[in-house]
Amino acid sequence: MTSFATDDILPEPPPDALEVLHDREYRVRAFQIADDRLLIQGAVRDQKPPGLYVPDDPEPLTIHHMQLSFEVGFPSLEIVAATVHFESHPHPTCPSIETHYEQLVGLSIARGFTHKVRELFGGPRGCTHTTALLQAMAPVAVQCFWSMRAATAKRAGADNPVVSRERTGSGDGNLAYVINSCHVWADDGPALAERRAGGGPSVPIPMQRRLDELGIETPVDFDG
Protein backbone atom coordinates (compact mmCIF):
# COMPACT_ATOMS: atom_id res chain seq x y z
CA MET A 1 0.00 0.00 0.00
CA THR A 2 1.24 3.48 -0.87
CA SER A 3 2.72 5.39 2.07
CA PHE A 4 1.82 8.97 2.89
CA ALA A 5 3.25 11.43 5.39
CA THR A 6 1.70 10.89 8.83
CA ASP A 7 3.33 13.70 10.79
CA ASP A 8 1.23 16.13 12.81
CA ILE A 9 -0.11 18.87 10.52
CA LEU A 10 -1.57 21.05 13.27
CA PRO A 11 0.09 24.29 14.36
CA GLU A 12 1.96 24.23 17.65
CA PRO A 13 -0.38 24.56 20.66
CA PRO A 14 -0.13 27.77 22.68
CA PRO A 15 2.41 27.49 25.51
CA ASP A 16 -0.19 28.57 28.09
CA ALA A 17 -2.76 25.89 27.14
CA LEU A 18 -3.88 23.99 30.24
CA GLU A 19 -4.72 20.67 28.58
CA VAL A 20 -6.11 19.10 25.42
CA LEU A 21 -9.90 18.72 25.56
CA HIS A 22 -10.84 17.15 22.25
CA ASP A 23 -9.39 15.69 19.08
CA ARG A 24 -11.29 15.50 15.80
CA GLU A 25 -9.64 13.69 12.92
CA TYR A 26 -10.71 13.55 9.30
CA ARG A 27 -9.12 11.13 6.89
CA VAL A 28 -10.00 10.78 3.22
CA ARG A 29 -8.39 8.53 0.64
CA ALA A 30 -9.15 7.93 -3.03
CA PHE A 31 -8.60 4.77 -5.07
CA GLN A 32 -8.85 4.06 -8.76
CA ILE A 33 -10.93 0.89 -9.09
CA ALA A 34 -11.38 1.06 -12.88
CA ASP A 35 -10.36 3.38 -15.70
CA ASP A 36 -13.75 5.06 -15.30
CA ARG A 37 -14.39 4.66 -11.58
CA LEU A 38 -13.11 6.25 -8.36
CA LEU A 39 -13.65 5.01 -4.81
CA ILE A 40 -13.53 7.70 -2.13
CA GLN A 41 -13.32 6.49 1.47
CA GLY A 42 -13.49 8.79 4.47
CA ALA A 43 -13.77 8.72 8.23
CA VAL A 44 -14.27 11.20 11.04
CA ARG A 45 -13.34 10.41 14.63
CA ASP A 46 -13.89 12.43 17.80
CA GLN A 47 -11.87 11.47 20.88
CA LYS A 48 -11.72 12.71 24.45
CA PRO A 49 -8.34 12.43 26.20
CA PRO A 50 -7.69 9.69 28.76
CA GLY A 51 -9.30 10.30 32.14
CA LEU A 52 -11.34 13.36 31.14
CA TYR A 53 -14.75 11.66 31.02
CA VAL A 54 -13.96 8.32 32.66
CA PRO A 55 -11.80 8.82 35.78
CA ASP A 56 -8.49 6.94 35.81
CA ASP A 57 -9.07 5.54 32.32
CA PRO A 58 -5.68 5.31 30.55
CA GLU A 59 -7.24 5.16 27.07
CA PRO A 60 -8.79 7.94 24.96
CA LEU A 61 -12.57 7.74 24.62
CA THR A 62 -13.95 7.65 21.08
CA ILE A 63 -17.30 9.45 20.98
CA HIS A 64 -17.89 9.51 17.22
CA HIS A 65 -16.41 7.39 14.47
CA MET A 66 -18.28 7.54 11.18
CA GLN A 67 -17.16 5.97 7.91
CA LEU A 68 -18.40 6.94 4.46
CA SER A 69 -17.57 5.42 1.08
CA PHE A 70 -18.81 6.39 -2.34
CA GLU A 71 -17.95 5.48 -5.90
CA VAL A 72 -17.69 8.18 -8.54
CA GLY A 73 -17.91 7.79 -12.30
CA PHE A 74 -15.07 9.34 -14.29
CA PRO A 75 -14.94 11.81 -15.92
CA SER A 76 -18.60 12.60 -15.14
CA LEU A 77 -17.90 12.89 -11.37
CA GLU A 78 -21.36 11.47 -10.66
CA ILE A 79 -21.82 9.34 -7.53
CA VAL A 80 -22.90 5.82 -8.49
CA ALA A 81 -22.79 4.07 -5.08
CA ALA A 82 -22.64 5.17 -1.44
CA THR A 83 -22.51 3.51 1.99
CA VAL A 84 -22.26 4.84 5.55
CA HIS A 85 -21.24 2.94 8.67
CA PHE A 86 -21.11 4.14 12.28
CA GLU A 87 -18.26 2.51 14.21
CA SER A 88 -18.87 4.52 17.38
CA HIS A 89 -21.80 6.76 18.27
CA PRO A 90 -23.27 8.30 21.44
CA HIS A 91 -26.97 7.38 21.02
CA PRO A 92 -28.72 4.09 20.16
CA THR A 93 -30.70 5.73 17.34
CA CYS A 94 -27.68 7.29 15.61
CA PRO A 95 -27.22 4.46 13.05
CA SER A 96 -30.83 4.75 11.87
CA ILE A 97 -29.75 7.53 9.50
CA GLU A 98 -27.07 5.45 7.73
CA THR A 99 -29.21 4.34 4.78
CA HIS A 100 -30.47 7.89 4.22
CA TYR A 101 -27.10 8.69 2.66
CA GLU A 102 -27.87 6.34 -0.21
CA GLN A 103 -29.57 9.42 -1.67
CA LEU A 104 -26.09 10.53 -2.69
CA VAL A 105 -26.37 8.21 -5.69
CA GLY A 106 -26.97 10.23 -8.83
CA LEU A 107 -25.54 13.50 -7.51
CA SER A 108 -22.77 15.27 -9.40
CA ILE A 109 -19.79 16.37 -7.35
CA ALA A 110 -18.77 18.86 -10.01
CA ARG A 111 -21.58 21.42 -9.78
CA GLY A 112 -23.95 22.49 -6.98
CA PHE A 113 -22.93 19.65 -4.71
CA THR A 114 -22.60 21.62 -1.47
CA HIS A 115 -26.08 23.11 -1.83
CA LYS A 116 -27.63 19.72 -2.58
CA VAL A 117 -25.90 18.09 0.40
CA ARG A 118 -27.31 20.72 2.75
CA GLU A 119 -30.74 20.24 1.23
CA LEU A 120 -30.69 16.45 1.62
CA PHE A 121 -28.68 15.95 4.81
CA GLY A 122 -28.62 19.25 6.71
CA GLY A 123 -29.97 19.57 10.25
CA PRO A 124 -32.50 16.86 11.24
CA ARG A 125 -32.23 15.25 7.79
CA GLY A 126 -28.82 13.77 8.53
CA CYS A 127 -25.95 13.21 10.94
CA THR A 128 -23.98 16.39 11.64
CA HIS A 129 -20.66 14.57 11.68
CA THR A 130 -21.28 12.43 8.60
CA THR A 131 -22.44 15.44 6.60
CA ALA A 132 -19.35 17.40 7.65
CA LEU A 133 -17.23 14.44 6.55
CA LEU A 134 -19.04 14.32 3.23
CA GLN A 135 -18.26 17.98 2.57
CA ALA A 136 -14.59 17.24 3.22
CA MET A 137 -14.59 14.21 0.90
CA ALA A 138 -16.16 15.67 -2.23
CA PRO A 139 -13.21 17.92 -3.21
CA VAL A 140 -10.95 14.86 -3.15
CA ALA A 141 -12.81 13.45 -6.15
CA VAL A 142 -12.14 16.68 -8.06
CA GLN A 143 -8.50 16.55 -6.94
CA CYS A 144 -8.29 13.13 -8.61
CA PHE A 145 -9.33 14.38 -12.04
CA TRP A 146 -5.77 14.39 -13.38
CA SER A 147 -4.61 11.67 -11.00
CA MET A 148 -6.96 9.22 -12.70
CA ARG A 149 -5.45 9.94 -16.10
CA ALA A 150 -1.92 9.78 -14.72
CA ALA A 151 -2.55 6.40 -13.04
CA THR A 152 -4.09 4.92 -16.18
CA ALA A 153 -1.17 6.11 -18.28
CA LYS A 154 1.35 4.76 -15.76
CA ARG A 155 -0.14 1.26 -15.90
CA ALA A 156 -0.16 1.38 -19.68
CA GLY A 157 3.46 2.51 -19.86
CA ALA A 158 2.44 5.77 -21.52
CA ASP A 159 3.72 9.28 -20.84
CA ASN A 160 2.42 10.93 -17.70
CA PRO A 161 -0.36 13.22 -18.96
CA VAL A 162 0.10 15.62 -16.06
CA VAL A 163 3.59 16.62 -17.14
CA SER A 164 3.89 15.69 -20.80
CA ARG A 165 0.58 16.05 -22.57
CA GLU A 166 0.09 18.64 -25.26
CA ARG A 167 -2.00 21.64 -24.37
CA THR A 168 -5.62 21.12 -25.21
CA GLY A 169 -6.62 24.69 -25.89
CA SER A 170 -8.00 27.59 -23.94
CA GLY A 171 -11.70 26.72 -23.95
CA ASP A 172 -13.71 26.36 -20.76
CA GLY A 173 -14.42 22.69 -21.45
CA ASN A 174 -11.17 21.63 -19.82
CA LEU A 175 -11.78 23.87 -16.81
CA ALA A 176 -15.49 23.44 -16.18
CA TYR A 177 -15.00 21.49 -12.97
CA VAL A 178 -12.94 24.26 -11.32
CA ILE A 179 -14.73 27.44 -12.45
CA ASN A 180 -15.97 29.33 -9.36
CA SER A 181 -14.76 26.52 -7.10
CA CYS A 182 -12.57 29.00 -5.18
CA HIS A 183 -11.25 32.56 -5.39
CA VAL A 184 -8.35 31.52 -7.64
CA TRP A 185 -10.75 30.10 -10.22
CA ALA A 186 -13.33 32.89 -10.09
CA ASP A 187 -15.08 33.20 -13.44
CA ASP A 188 -13.99 36.83 -13.70
CA GLY A 189 -10.57 36.33 -12.13
CA PRO A 190 -7.09 36.69 -13.64
CA ALA A 191 -6.30 32.95 -13.69
CA LEU A 192 -9.20 32.08 -15.99
CA ALA A 193 -8.64 35.21 -18.06
CA GLU A 194 -5.08 34.07 -18.73
CA ARG A 195 -6.17 30.56 -19.67
CA ARG A 196 -8.90 31.83 -21.98
CA ALA A 197 -6.34 34.04 -23.66
CA GLY A 198 -4.28 30.96 -24.47
CA GLY A 199 -1.80 31.15 -21.63
CA GLY A 200 -0.55 27.97 -20.05
CA PRO A 201 -0.90 27.14 -16.36
CA SER A 202 1.95 27.42 -13.92
CA VAL A 203 3.41 24.35 -12.26
CA PRO A 204 1.91 23.90 -8.76
CA ILE A 205 4.33 25.23 -6.16
CA PRO A 206 4.81 21.89 -4.30
CA MET A 207 5.45 20.09 -7.59
CA GLN A 208 7.94 22.72 -8.72
CA ARG A 209 9.73 22.53 -5.38
CA ARG A 210 10.01 18.75 -5.64
CA LEU A 211 11.22 18.90 -9.24
CA ASP A 212 13.93 21.31 -8.12
CA GLU A 213 14.92 19.06 -5.21
CA LEU A 214 15.26 16.08 -7.54
CA GLY A 215 17.06 18.06 -10.22
CA ILE A 216 14.34 17.40 -12.79
CA GLU A 217 13.75 20.03 -15.44
CA THR A 218 10.24 21.47 -15.53
CA PRO A 219 8.44 20.21 -18.67
CA VAL A 220 7.96 23.06 -21.12
CA ASP A 221 4.58 21.68 -22.17
CA PHE A 222 3.23 21.29 -18.64
CA ASP A 223 -0.55 21.57 -18.54
CA GLY A 224 -1.60 20.11 -15.20
Side-chain angles (χ1 to χ4, degrees):
M1 184 62 67
T2 301
S3 297
F4 293 94
T6 58
D7 54 307
D8 195 344
I9 60 174
L10 292 172
E12 288 292 325
D16 55 349
L18 297 179
E19 61 178 301
V20 177
L21 296 179
H22 191 93
D23 182 84
R24 165 162 282 202
E25 177 185 11
Y26 288 99
R27 184 167 299 171
V28 182
R29 191 159 291 177
F31 301 87
Q32 184 181 36
I33 56 177
D35 287 350
D36 62 350
R37 189 71 60 88
L38 273 165
L39 171 65
I40 313 293
Q41 293 185 323
V44 57
R45 181 173 61 182
D46 286 319
Q47 297 183 90
K48 295 298 182 182
L52 185 65
Y53 277 18
V54 180
D56 302 320
D57 187 356
E59 299 295 330
L61 182 66
T62 298
I63 303 296
H64 302 109
H65 182 185
M66 286 75 184
Q67 298 172 331
L68 171 59
S69 299
F70 57 80
E71 294 182 17
V72 182
F74 179 81
S76 67
L77 298 183
E78 179 179 306
I79 296 176
V80 297
T83 58
V84 168
H85 176 65
F86 288 6
E87 279 284 325
S88 183
H89 48 87
H91 308 292
T93 55
C94 286
S96 65
I97 200 68
E98 288 178 344
T99 57
H100 184 61
Y101 285 86
E102 293 173 1
Q103 294 185 60
L104 285 166
V105 175
L107 297 187
S108 170
I109 288 177
R111 308 294 288 181
F113 184 73
T114 298
H115 175 77
K116 194 64 178 178
V117 164
R118 289 172 180 164
E119 180 182 300
L120 289 173
F121 311 113
R125 296 176 297 281
C127 163
T128 300
H129 316 292
T130 303
T131 300
L133 170 63
L134 176 58
Q135 298 282 29
M137 292 173 66
V140 174
V142 177
Q143 289 284 311
C144 287
F145 194 85
W146 279 108
S147 301
M148 284 284 285
R149 296 183 177 181
T152 299
K154 181 180 178 181
R155 284 197 308 276
D159 289 340
N160 187 327
V162 176
V163 297
S164 64
R165 73 184 180 92
E166 295 182 358
R167 290 179 180 166
T168 55
S170 57
D172 283 357
N174 297 309
L175 300 169
Y177 66 98
V178 297
I179 294 176
N180 287 328
S181 61
C182 75
H183 72 103
V184 171
W185 294 111
D187 196 19
D188 58 353
L192 278 177
E194 181 178 357
R195 294 298 296 272
R196 287 164 175 160
S202 59
V203 178
I205 293 171
M207 183 176 174
Q208 182 65 68
R209 184 183 299 123
R210 189 59 178 155
L211 288 170
D212 292 343
E213 290 172 350
L214 296 174
I216 300 174
E217 185 177 354
T218 304
V220 295
D221 56 354
F222 175 81
D223 195 15

